[in-house]
Coordinates of all heavy atoms in Angstrom, one line a residue:
I74 N -13.6 -142.8 -138.5 CA -14.2 -143.4 -137.3 C -15.7 -143.4 -137.5 O -16.2 -142.5 -138.1 CB -13.8 -142.7 -136.0 CG1 -14.3 -143.4 -134.7 CG2 -14.2 -141.2 -136.1 CD1 -13.7 -142.8 -133.3
I75 N -16.3 -144.5 -137.1 CA -17.8 -144.5 -137.1 C -18.2 -144.7 -135.7 O -17.6 -145.6 -135.0 CB -18.4 -145.5 -138.1 CG1 -19.8 -145.5 -138.1 CG2 -17.9 -146.9 -137.7 CD1 -20.6 -146.1 -139.3
T76 N -19.1 -144.0 -135.2 CA -19.5 -144.0 -133.8 C -21.0 -144.2 -133.7 O -21.7 -144.1 -134.8 CB -19.2 -142.7 -133.1 OG1 -20.0 -141.7 -133.6 CG2 -17.7 -142.4 -133.2
E77 N -21.5 -144.6 -132.5 CA -22.9 -144.8 -132.3 C -23.6 -143.5 -132.7 O -24.8 -143.5 -133.1 CB -23.1 -145.2 -130.8 CG -22.5 -144.3 -129.8 CD -22.4 -145.0 -128.5 OE1 -22.7 -146.2 -128.4 OE2 -21.8 -144.3 -127.5
R78 N -23.0 -142.3 -132.3 CA -23.7 -141.1 -132.8 C -23.8 -140.9 -134.2 O -24.8 -140.4 -134.8 CB -22.7 -139.9 -132.2 CG -23.5 -138.6 -132.3 CD -22.7 -137.3 -131.8 NE -22.1 -137.4 -130.5 CZ -21.5 -136.5 -130.0 NH1 -21.1 -135.4 -130.7 NH2 -21.0 -136.6 -128.8
D79 N -22.7 -141.4 -135.0 CA -22.9 -141.4 -136.4 C -24.1 -142.1 -136.9 O -24.8 -141.7 -137.8 CB -21.5 -141.8 -137.2 CG -20.4 -140.9 -136.9 OD1 -20.6 -139.7 -136.9 OD2 -19.3 -141.5 -136.8
I80 N -24.2 -143.3 -136.3 CA -25.3 -144.2 -136.8 C -26.6 -143.6 -136.4 O -27.5 -143.6 -137.3 CB -25.2 -145.6 -135.9 CG1 -23.9 -146.3 -136.2 CG2 -26.4 -146.4 -136.3 CD1 -23.6 -146.6 -137.7
L81 N -26.8 -143.0 -135.2 CA -27.9 -142.3 -134.9 C -28.2 -141.1 -135.7 O -29.5 -140.9 -136.2 CB -27.9 -141.9 -133.4 CG -29.2 -141.3 -132.8 CD1 -30.4 -142.3 -132.9 CD2 -29.0 -140.7 -131.5
N82 N -27.3 -140.3 -136.1 CA -27.5 -139.1 -136.7 C -27.5 -139.1 -138.3 O -28.1 -138.3 -139.0 CB -26.6 -137.9 -136.2 CG -26.8 -137.5 -134.9 OD1 -28.0 -137.4 -134.4 ND2 -25.7 -137.1 -134.2
K83 N -26.8 -140.1 -138.8 CA -26.6 -140.2 -140.2 C -27.3 -141.5 -140.9 O -27.5 -141.5 -142.1 CB -25.2 -140.4 -140.6 CG -24.4 -139.1 -140.1 CD -22.9 -139.3 -140.5 CE -22.0 -138.2 -139.9 NZ -20.6 -138.6 -140.1
V84 N -27.7 -142.4 -140.0 CA -28.2 -143.7 -140.5 C -29.6 -143.9 -140.2 O -30.5 -144.1 -141.2 CB -27.3 -144.8 -140.2 CG1 -28.0 -146.2 -140.7 CG2 -25.9 -144.8 -140.7
V85 N -30.0 -144.0 -138.9 CA -31.3 -144.3 -138.5 C -32.4 -143.3 -139.1 O -32.3 -142.1 -138.9 CB -31.3 -144.4 -136.9 CG1 -32.8 -144.7 -136.5 CG2 -30.5 -145.4 -136.4
G86 N -33.4 -143.9 -139.7 CA -34.3 -143.1 -140.3 C -34.0 -142.4 -141.6 O -34.8 -141.6 -142.2
K87 N -32.7 -142.5 -142.0 CA -32.3 -141.9 -143.2 C -31.7 -142.8 -144.3 O -31.7 -142.3 -145.5 CB -31.2 -140.8 -142.8 CG -31.6 -139.7 -141.9 CD -30.7 -138.7 -141.5 CE -31.1 -137.8 -140.6 NZ -30.1 -136.7 -140.2
M88 N -31.2 -143.9 -144.0 CA -30.8 -144.8 -144.9 C -31.4 -146.1 -144.8 O -31.2 -147.0 -143.9 CB -29.3 -145.0 -144.8 CG -28.4 -144.0 -145.0 SD -26.7 -144.6 -144.7 CE -25.8 -143.0 -144.7
A89 N -32.4 -146.5 -145.8 CA -33.1 -147.7 -145.7 C -32.2 -148.9 -146.1 O -32.4 -150.0 -145.8 CB -34.3 -147.7 -146.7
D90 N -31.1 -148.6 -146.9 CA -30.3 -149.6 -147.4 C -28.9 -149.7 -146.7 O -28.0 -150.0 -147.4 CB -30.1 -149.3 -149.0 CG -29.5 -148.0 -149.3 OD1 -29.6 -147.1 -148.5 OD2 -29.0 -147.8 -150.4
F91 N -28.9 -149.4 -145.4 CA -27.6 -149.3 -144.8 C -26.9 -150.6 -144.7 O -25.7 -150.6 -144.6 CB -27.8 -148.8 -143.3 CG -28.4 -149.7 -142.4 CD1 -27.5 -150.4 -141.6 CD2 -29.7 -149.9 -142.2 CE1 -28.0 -151.3 -140.6 CE2 -30.1 -150.7 -141.3 CZ -29.4 -151.5 -140.5
K92 N -27.7 -151.7 -144.9 CA -26.9 -152.9 -144.8 C -26.0 -153.2 -146.0 O -25.0 -153.8 -145.9 CB -27.9 -154.1 -144.9 CG -28.7 -154.2 -143.6 CD -29.7 -155.3 -143.7 CE -30.5 -155.3 -142.2 NZ -31.5 -156.3 -142.3
T93 N -26.2 -152.5 -147.1 CA -25.3 -152.6 -148.2 C -24.5 -151.3 -148.4 O -23.5 -151.4 -149.3 CB -26.1 -153.0 -149.4 OG1 -27.0 -151.9 -149.7 CG2 -26.7 -154.3 -149.4
R94 N -24.7 -150.2 -147.8 CA -24.0 -149.0 -148.0 C -22.6 -149.1 -147.4 O -22.4 -149.6 -146.3 CB -24.8 -147.8 -147.3 CG -26.2 -147.5 -147.9 CD -26.1 -146.7 -149.1 NE -25.8 -145.4 -148.8 CZ -26.6 -144.3 -148.7 NH1 -27.9 -144.5 -148.6 NH2 -26.2 -143.1 -148.5
P95 N -21.6 -148.4 -148.1 CA -20.3 -148.5 -147.5 C -20.2 -147.7 -146.2 O -21.0 -146.7 -146.1 CB -19.5 -147.8 -148.6 CG -20.4 -147.1 -149.5 CD -21.8 -147.8 -149.3
V96 N -19.2 -148.1 -145.4 CA -19.1 -147.3 -144.0 C -18.6 -145.9 -144.3 O -19.0 -145.1 -143.5 CB -18.0 -148.1 -143.3 CG1 -16.6 -148.0 -143.7 CG2 -18.1 -147.8 -141.8
T97 N -18.2 -145.7 -145.5 CA -17.8 -144.3 -145.8 C -18.9 -143.3 -145.9 O -18.8 -142.1 -145.7 CB -16.9 -144.1 -147.1 OG1 -17.7 -144.8 -148.1 CG2 -15.6 -144.8 -146.9
D98 N -20.1 -143.8 -146.0 CA -21.4 -143.0 -146.0 C -21.8 -142.5 -144.7 O -22.6 -141.6 -144.6 CB -22.4 -143.8 -146.7 CG -22.4 -143.9 -148.3 OD1 -21.4 -143.4 -148.9 OD2 -23.2 -144.6 -148.8
A99 N -21.2 -143.1 -143.7 CA -21.6 -142.7 -142.3 C -20.5 -142.3 -141.4 O -20.6 -141.7 -140.4 CB -22.5 -143.8 -141.6
M100 N -19.3 -142.7 -141.7 CA -18.2 -142.4 -140.9 C -17.8 -140.9 -141.0 O -18.1 -140.2 -141.8 CB -17.0 -143.3 -141.2 CG -16.2 -142.8 -142.5 SD -14.8 -143.9 -142.8 CE -13.9 -142.8 -144.1
T101 N -17.0 -140.6 -139.9 CA -16.3 -139.3 -139.8 C -14.9 -139.5 -140.4 O -14.1 -140.1 -139.9 CB -16.2 -138.7 -138.5 OG1 -17.6 -138.6 -137.9 CG2 -15.5 -137.4 -138.3
P102 N -14.6 -138.9 -141.6 CA -13.3 -139.0 -142.2 C -12.2 -138.3 -141.5 O -12.5 -137.2 -140.9 CB -13.6 -138.6 -143.7 CG -14.6 -137.7 -143.6 CD -15.5 -138.0 -142.4
D103 N -11.1 -138.9 -141.6 CA -9.9 -138.1 -141.1 C -10.0 -137.5 -139.8 O -9.9 -136.4 -139.6 CB -9.4 -137.1 -142.2 CG -8.0 -136.6 -141.9 OD1 -7.2 -137.4 -141.3 OD2 -7.6 -135.5 -142.2
P104 N -10.4 -138.3 -138.7 CA -10.7 -137.7 -137.5 C -9.4 -137.3 -136.8 O -8.3 -137.7 -137.1 CB -11.3 -138.9 -136.6 CG -10.6 -140.1 -137.3 CD -10.4 -139.8 -138.7
L105 N -9.7 -136.4 -135.8 CA -8.6 -136.0 -134.8 C -8.0 -137.3 -134.3 O -8.8 -138.2 -133.9 CB -9.1 -135.1 -133.7 CG -8.1 -134.8 -132.7 CD1 -7.9 -133.3 -132.6 CD2 -8.5 -135.3 -131.4
R106 N -6.7 -137.3 -134.1 CA -6.2 -138.4 -133.5 C -5.0 -138.0 -132.6 O -4.4 -136.9 -132.8 CB -5.6 -139.3 -134.5 CG -4.3 -139.1 -135.3 CD -4.5 -138.5 -136.6 NE -4.8 -139.6 -137.6 CZ -5.5 -139.4 -138.8 NH1 -6.1 -138.1 -138.9 NH2 -5.8 -140.2 -139.5
L107 N -4.7 -138.8 -131.6 CA -3.6 -138.6 -130.6 C -2.6 -139.7 -130.7 O -2.9 -140.8 -131.2 CB -4.1 -138.2 -129.3 CG -4.9 -136.9 -129.2 CD1 -5.5 -136.8 -127.8 CD2 -4.0 -135.7 -129.5
M108 N -1.5 -139.6 -130.0 CA -0.5 -140.6 -129.9 C -0.4 -141.0 -128.4 O -0.7 -140.1 -127.6 CB 0.8 -140.2 -130.5 CG 0.7 -140.0 -132.0 SD 2.2 -139.6 -132.7 CE 3.2 -140.9 -132.8
P109 N 0.1 -142.2 -128.0 CA 0.2 -142.6 -126.7 C 1.1 -141.7 -125.8 O 0.9 -141.6 -124.5 CB 0.9 -143.9 -126.7 CG 0.6 -144.6 -128.0 CD 0.5 -143.2 -129.0
G110 N 2.0 -140.9 -126.3 CA 2.9 -140.0 -125.6 C 2.2 -138.6 -125.4 O 2.8 -137.8 -124.5
D111 N 1.2 -138.4 -126.0 CA 0.5 -137.1 -125.8 C -0.1 -137.0 -124.4 O -0.6 -137.9 -123.8 CB -0.6 -136.8 -126.9 CG 0.0 -136.7 -128.3 OD1 1.1 -136.3 -128.3 OD2 -0.7 -137.1 -129.3
M112 N -0.2 -135.8 -123.8 CA -0.8 -135.6 -122.6 C -2.3 -136.0 -122.6 O -2.9 -135.6 -123.5 CB -0.5 -134.2 -122.1 CG 0.9 -133.7 -121.9 SD 1.0 -132.1 -121.2 CE 0.1 -131.0 -122.3
I113 N -2.7 -136.3 -121.4 CA -4.1 -136.7 -121.0 C -4.9 -135.3 -121.3 O -6.0 -135.3 -121.8 CB -4.3 -137.2 -119.7 CG1 -3.7 -138.6 -119.6 CG2 -5.8 -137.2 -119.2 CD1 -3.6 -139.2 -118.2
A114 N -4.3 -134.2 -121.0 CA -5.0 -132.9 -121.1 C -5.3 -132.6 -122.6 O -6.4 -132.0 -122.8 CB -3.9 -131.8 -120.6
Y115 N -4.5 -133.1 -123.6 CA -5.0 -133.0 -125.0 C -6.3 -133.7 -125.2 O -7.1 -133.1 -125.9 CB -3.9 -133.5 -126.0 CG -2.6 -132.6 -126.0 CD1 -1.4 -133.1 -125.8 CD2 -2.7 -131.3 -126.1 CE1 -0.3 -132.5 -125.9 CE2 -1.6 -130.5 -126.2 CZ -0.4 -131.0 -126.2 OH 0.8 -130.3 -126.2
A116 N -6.4 -135.0 -124.8 CA -7.5 -135.7 -124.9 C -8.8 -134.9 -124.3 O -9.9 -134.9 -124.9 CB -7.5 -137.1 -124.4

Side-chain angles (χ1 to χ4, degrees):
I74 184 172
I75 186 164
T76 68
E77 54 201 358
R78 191 187 302 178
D79 291 324
I80 300 302
L81 183 63
N82 291 327
K83 299 175 187 175
V84 178
V85 175
K87 296 180 180 183
M88 289 186 196
D90 58 344
F91 78 93
K92 290 182 180 178
T93 57
R94 297 273 292 265
V96 74
T97 54
D98 286 354
M100 75 177 196
T101 300
D103 195 29
L105 172 119
R106 73 261 280 153
L107 294 172
M108 296 178 72
D111 292 334
M112 292 187 306
I113 293 169
Y115 288 133

